[in-house]
Amino acid sequence: MYLRDCGLQGCDCIMKLIEAIVRSARNIVPPDVLEELIMQLEINETFDASPAGAILMGVYILEYVGFPKYVDAILEEKHTTIEQLKARYRNKTAIENPMVPSTGILLSLIVADMIACPRNITPAYKFEEMAEQWRTGPLLGIEPSILNDDRIGRAMSVIGANIRNLQEVLFNMIMDTGKKAGIPLNKFILDTTLLELDGKFKDAPKVVPGRGTNSFSQMIVSLVIASGSRLPVGFGVLPGNTSDSSTLPDIYGMVNRVADDGAVEFLMDRIYPTPSNIRFLEEQKRERMVFWVSPLKTGLSEKRARELIDMAYDKDEWEPIGYRSTKEINAKTDPPLTAFETTWTLTEKIKPELEPGQSRRPRGSIRTINIDVRCVFYRHELNAQREKENRKIKIEELENALHEFHRKLNTRKYREREYCEKKLAELLKSYSCVKKFANCELSVSDKGVIIFKWLWDTAAIDQESKYDGVFALLTNYSKKQVNHNRLVTKYRGRDQVEINFKEMRGILDLERVLYQRPERIDTFVFLKVIAFFVLAFLRSYAMKEGVKTTVVKIRESMGDMLLIENSVMPLEMKIYGIARDTEMNRMFRELFSLPDPLELIKVLSEEEKARIDGYVQKWYEKWLKSRHEPR
């Protein structure tokens, strides 16, 4: 007999399995046939694996944070828990129709799939097929046959019919989770991202064509993150041509609902500080004080920024400050920052909407608003050195490229001035960061010879080094409230939201939108936010337990857990196990009192044990048939 342990957690004890098979076979086959059967018993060396383990864990965690419950409450549906669904599944009769889970449970399956398989998210038309692999019937009480694409699509449409529904679910989860985890909600990070989508979205008004003939379609997603815990507390899905800055009032409304009592702090993207937004935040003082910090978008006001920097050098206003990043502290690097303070004037033109029938705005209707705000310029010496070195390298590369261009002149097509000017323009365009330092002159002699000269503006190159490594922060904190050191410390904290968007794009494949109907696009992005909510929630709890980790590692830990399906040959009887379970997964199951997957798969094993007689009978019939077949 060749029968060995498959080495998977959760497989039935081999000896008990043998005993069960032998007991059944004694009642069905003659003794000599029984001996032959026993000699043939072995574990199949090939097996199937699915992320059902991660799906199971994800669904139960979503139930713990209240996601399906709040979805059903918003939609006024009767909520059924996973345990209730499983009890109904076990006790159903053959003639009963399978129980249809609530919208909250259906959406939980989609979110769990996003967490478990972010690179290969299951489209709606494949959910029934995948549910068979996940064994959702016995493990979750959800018959795979009811998970067709129509039902999945309707579930997404019904919750996404009003984006307020989605935001209300997230709000309730924040309130519930905040109480459970004691998460502070007084500092928030704001950002938006432009998603470029590959596909046709003719029925999705929020998705607009990008610029250029071959550009992707695009839409905007805004996200509000609670600083520290990194929990998403608000989101929006906006048309791709929306001005990012116009989203601030809605964002404030979301934050105002979830924030703790007292003042709050906004760490904002550089697009948000406009005069109208600053005035809006000032008007909220009657309700709560909002302090804000934002980087200055110097690219649009480069001339003014450089004037202020030059004045600071002339007046010797740059002062060293003590701030160092964690990396710089560990490397024992001297504080690399110097700073000076000034005032920055924000300017915005207010253009009224065109009245019906108007083709242009009346003269004098466009107003200009100016607001002065506190501004601190910083210079990072190490970054300045790197930028200077990189510029030197680019200048050398351009110098070589210009020499190569010069050698081609007056040969083949390079005998025509128009062609030479075109190629020179293309060359300089590829060196946009340093081309302004090269004074190029292309001319034609009396004899028709193309002449090319260039001269480097060394004074401008030297002057440019003044602006290397410089960035500026705007804020409504006074100098007494927040000095230069604390201000830059706060700003570095907003890097979290950049990391979050990057992680959402990567581990949750944010830019791959599988739907085109507007309400389903909203729901799809919302479910991605919920998936990230779960990962951030788990990270926050892990940190409390003293486990330093990231949402990437947590997702990988969950996604690695597999349901293994093997078979006992020659009966073709299924056996199950859990593979690649991790210490982190076990920690979360203990923290949240989640079911042990080893206990869950016993359900599958018991189902197979109940069919042993059938497996043996089927094998015996094949054995008899083989004996009567002509040789």
Side-chain angles (χ1 to χ4, degrees):
M1 180 180 67
Y2 174 58
L3 187 61
R4 55 184 174 77
D5 191 345
C6 61
L8 302 174
Q9 294 183 50
C11 286
D12 286 345
C13 173
I14 297 300
M15 293 308 298
K16 288 184 179 179
L17 187 59
I18 294 172
E19 292 171 0
I21 293 173
V22 171
R23 280 196 303 270
S24 174
R26 280 184 181 140
N27 297 325
I28 297 174
V29 304
D32 58 330
V33 179
L34 173 61
E35 185 177 345
E36 183 176 342
L37 171 61
I38 292 175
M39 293 300 296
Q40 293 181 25
L41 290 176
E42 66 174 347
I43 302 296
N44 193 347
E45 292 188 359
T46 62
F47 57 86
D48 294 324
S50 78
I55 299 292
L56 287 171
M57 187 170 175
V59 168
Y60 276 103
I61 290 174
L62 284 158
E63 193 169 55
Y64 179 84
V65 297
F67 173 70
K69 176 180 67 176
Y70 290 126
V71 168
D72 295 340
I74 290 294
L75 299 178
E76 298 181 350
E77 288 187 24
K78 181 181 178 181
H79 176 66
T80 48
T81 66
I82 295 296
E83 293 304 318
Q84 289 171 333
L85 288 170
K86 287 165 60 178
R88 172 70 180 272
Y89 181 87
R90 288 193 299 267
N91 299 324
K92 70 180 178 68
T93 64
I95 61 173
E96 283 183 313
N97 291 326
M99 183 176 183
V100 178
S102 65
T103 300
I105 296 294
L106 289 175
L107 297 180
S108 292
L109 272 175
I110 300 176
V111 176
D113 175 60
M114 290 175 173
I115 295 173
C117 312
R119 296 290 195 275
N120 191 27
I121 295 172
T122 304
Y125 69 89
K126 281 194 172 182
F127 243 86
E128 183 176 346
E129 175 187 335
M130 291 304 299
E132 289 282 359
Q133 296 182 29
W134 300 335
R135 304 306 301 264
T136 59
L139 297 181
L140 295 174
I142 303 172
E143 188 67 52
S145 62
I146 67 174
L147 297 176
N148 55 64
D149 55 347
D150 285 341
R151 181 164 280 116
I152 296 294
R154 286 198 302 272
M156 297 184 72
S157 289
V158 70
I159 188 68
N162 186 343
I163 198 167
R164 297 293 180 187
N165 291 341
L166 310 177
Q167 293 168 343
E168 194 68 19
V169 171
L170 183 58
F171 167 76
N172 287 327
M173 290 176 64
I174 287 293
M175 293 293 95
D176 187 7
T177 303
K179 292 176 182 177
K180 287 180 178 177
I183 294 171
L185 295 170
N186 54 11
K187 295 182 181 180
F188 303 91
I189 306 168
L190 285 56
D191 206 349
T192 58
T193 188
L194 183 68
L195 298 187
E196 292 186 330
L197 312 176
D198 188 7
K200 297 179 180 179
F201 297 87
K202 62 180 181 179
D203 296 325
K206 289 184 179 180
V207 182
V208 301
R211 296 179 180 178
T213 56
N214 297 318
S215 65
F216 291 110
S217 299
Q218 60 190 37
M219 67 181 181
I220 289 174
V221 175
S222 64
L223 191 65
V224 186
I225 301 291
S227 181
S229 67
R230 299 193 187 180
L231 284 176
V233 300
F235 83 104
V237 185
L238 309 161
N241 54 2
T242 302
S243 170
D244 295 16
S245 62
S246 66
T247 64
L248 186 66
D250 285 340
I251 288 172
Y252 173 80
M254 298 178 201
V255 168
N256 192 43
R257 290 189 71 195
V258 303
D260 299 332
D261 292 338
V264 296
E265 179 182 87
F266 282 179
L267 300 177
M268 305 190 297
D269 182 39
R270 66 192 66 207
I271 197 65
Y272 285 110
T274 64
S276 57
N277 280 341
I278 301 307
R279 288 199 311 168
F280 170 80
L281 294 177
E282 284 293 314
E283 291 169 358
Q284 309 313 311
K285 283 183 178 180
R286 295 186 296 270
E287 193 170 22
R288 70 163 77 235
M289 183 65 195
V290 180
F291 294 104
W292 57 269
V293 179
S294 169
L296 172 64
K297 195 171 184 178
T298 55
L300 296 180
S301 305
E302 184 176 357
K303 182 179 178 182
R304 179 57 181 160
R306 293 192 169 200
E307 288 174 353
L308 292 172
I309 293 170
D310 290 341
M311 289 172 59
Y313 277 111
D314 293 340
K315 297 179 180 180
D316 196 24
E317 292 180 336
W318 288 98
E319 297 178 356
I321 64 173
Y323 171 83
R324 289 188 297 171
S325 65
T326 303
K327 183 178 180 180
E328 289 160 353
I329 292 172
N330 293 336
K332 298 181 180 179
T333 304
D334 292 334
L337 288 178
T338 54
F340 78 90
E341 183 158 335
T342 185
T343 298
W344 187 267
T345 301
L346 295 169
T347 302
E348 183 179 42
K349 288 186 177 181
I350 306 298
K351 299 179 180 180
E353 295 291 332
L354 291 174
E355 297 291 338
Q358 283 185 333
S359 59
R360 57 186 302 175
R361 295 175 180 85
R363 184 183 297 275
S365 63
I366 299 177
R367 298 182 298 115
T368 300
I369 299 177
N370 295 323
I371 293 184
D372 292 336
V373 296
R374 181 188 175 199
C375 177
V376 181
F377 279 86
Y378 295 89
R379 176 183 170 87
H380 193 289
E381 190 59 38
L382 300 180
N383 289 345
Q385 291 175 9
R386 281 192 288 268
E387 290 177 24
K388 185 176 181 179
E389 291 169 1
N390 290 338
R391 183 168 55 253
K392 182 180 178 181
I393 292 171
K394 284 295 182 183
I395 288 174
E396 290 173 354
E397 290 176 358
L398 178 54
E399 174 76 12
N400 293 332
L402 292 174
H403 278 293
E404 181 64 25
F405 174 76
H406 186 264
R407 282 194 291 268
K408 293 179 181 179
L409 295 179
N410 301 299
T411 63
R412 299 182 181 180
K413 291 184 179 181
Y414 286 84
R415 292 188 177 93
E416 300 174 8
R417 176 171 181 163
E418 185 176 341
Y419 181 80
C420 292
E421 289 176 342
K422 176 184 175 184
K423 301 306 288 185
L424 177 61
E426 291 175 357
L427 187 156
L428 292 174
K429 186 177 181 180
S430 61
Y431 292 91
S432 57
C433 57
V434 295
K435 68 178 184 179
K436 62 183 177 180
F437 304 121
N439 297 319
C440 299
E441 182 182 343
L442 192 69
S443 61
V444 182
S445 71
D446 295 340
K447 296 181 179 181
V449 177
I450 303 293
I451 300 172
F452 178 56
K453 298 178 182 179
W454 71 93
L455 182 66
W456 290 103
D457 189 343
T458 55
I461 294 173
D462 292 340
Q463 178 72 10
E464 189 72 14
S465 63
K466 287 185 177 181
Y467 316 119
D468 290 337
V470 174
F471 62 95
L473 299 179
L474 304 178
T475 185
N476 66 336
Y477 277 116
S478 69
K479 189 173 182 178
K480 187 176 181 180
Q481 289 173 313
V482 177
N483 62 22
H484 298 169
N485 272 303
R486 288 188 59 202
L487 187 63
V488 74
T489 303
K490 289 177 178 294
Y491 166 68
R492 291 298 170 95
R494 81 164 294 283
D495 289 347
Q496 292 175 5
V497 80
E498 299 289 353
I499 293 171
N500 287 351
F501 267 128
K502 184 177 180 181
E503 288 174 342
M504 286 182 71
R505 285 195 188 98
I507 66 175
L508 298 177
D509 196 14
L510 183 59
E511 293 183 4
R512 185 178 174 226
V513 176
L514 304 178
Y515 302 90
Q516 296 193 13
R517 293 178 60 172
E519 70 278 8
R520 294 183 187 180
I521 291 176
D522 288 352
T523 302
F524 188 73
V525 174
F526 164 68
L527 296 179
K528 294 292 189 77
V529 172
I530 296 300
F532 199 83
F533 181 100
V534 169
L535 294 172
F537 171 76
L538 294 177
R539 173 189 168 275
S540 179
Y541 257 94
M543 299 292 277
K544 285 188 174 184
E545 294 295 313
V547 178
K548 190 174 182 180
T549 186
T550 66
V551 294
V552 175
K553 291 179 181 178
I554 292 171
R555 195 222 61 76
E556 289 174 348
S557 177
M558 290 180 63
D560 282 348
M561 188 165 57
L562 302 175
L563 172 67
I564 303 299
E565 180 181 300
N566 214 319
S567 55
V568 179
M569 303 302 291
L571 299 182
E572 298 181 358
M573 175 183 176
K574 303 295 183 183
I575 56 174
Y576 298 92
I578 290 292
R580 299 199 308 215
D581 194 9
T582 66
E583 189 64 37
M584 188 176 295
N585 289 340
R586 290 190 283 272
M587 178 187 71
F588 289 135
R589 291 200 297 269
E590 183 177 343
L591 279 173
F592 308 129
S593 301
L594 305 180
D596 190 326
L598 300 183
E599 294 297 321
L600 291 173
I601 63 172
K602 283 183 180 179
V603 176
L604 302 179
S605 299
E606 291 301 322
E607 282 190 349
E608 288 297 292
K609 278 186 178 180
R611 300 190 185 106
I612 286 182
D613 289 350
Y615 283 117
V616 173
Q617 183 65 44
K618 185 177 179 180
W619 175 85
Y620 185 44
E621 290 172 358
K622 286 183 178 180
W623 184 89
L624 290 173
K625 185 177 179 180
S626 68
R627 291 297 181 271
H628 292 90
E629 289 179 351
R631 296 180 180 273

